Amino acid sequence: MANSTVDIMSGGLESDEESSPFETPVIILNSVLNALLIPICIAGNVLVLAAIWRNPSLHTPSTILLCSLAVSDLFVRFLVLPVNIAIALIPLSRDGYLSCLSQARIFLNIQLCGVSLETMTAISVDRYLALRYHMRYPNLMTSKRATYVAATFWCKNVILSLISIWKKNTILLVAVVFVALCLFISSITYSAIYRII
């Protein structure tokens, strides 16, 4: 029991003498399923971006936010999932290779997953504004404002990702606060949308 506690505390870097017999097959199955889903998700996001790009009538503030979400999801599929698969399949050790992959995973998760969550929150606020202030909505949410919001999310998360290299505990606290704030805002706006509809 003491060894398993040490394993958990050290992130599994110790030997796996007491690990579950199902752990390895689950890791392999998870990695295979993720590897199979990566091309499907990439194709779906590319199709969304291509459809918006080719149809000028779709160039609205809402679709600018949708494009930001599709781009962040595309990068998650290109970068985050392969790194997660590599970390899962590499035998755990204390070498620099795994440490480098872990740093990359933290950096990419903060950057891309943060942008995805914040963009989904912005989309919920955008939908609320469109329903609540439907006559004034074109003046409230312009394409320029939507682009500014999306660019702000990307820049803020790049800065947080860079800070995460040096201050892991601080970034964890900031991430928890941002996730809680995004979930709270989304809950409020979707509740308001439900009441309006």
Side-chain angles (χ1 to χ4, degrees), residues 6 16 19 39 44 80 82 86 92 108 112 116 129 144 149 163 184 186 192:
V6 171
D16 285 356
S19 66
V80 175
L92 295 177
L108 293 170
L112 300 171
S116 291
L129 292 174
K144 186 175 183 179
V149 166
I163 293 172
F184 177 74
S186 292

Side-chain angles (χ1 to χ4, degrees), residues 137-158:
Y137 174 75
N139 294 331
L140 288 173
M141 193 62 163
T142 63
S143 294
K144 186 175 183 179
R145 286 183 182 157
T147 304
Y148 176 76
V149 166
T152 301
F153 292 155
W154 283 91
C155 293
K156 179 194 75 68
N157 283 301
V158 165

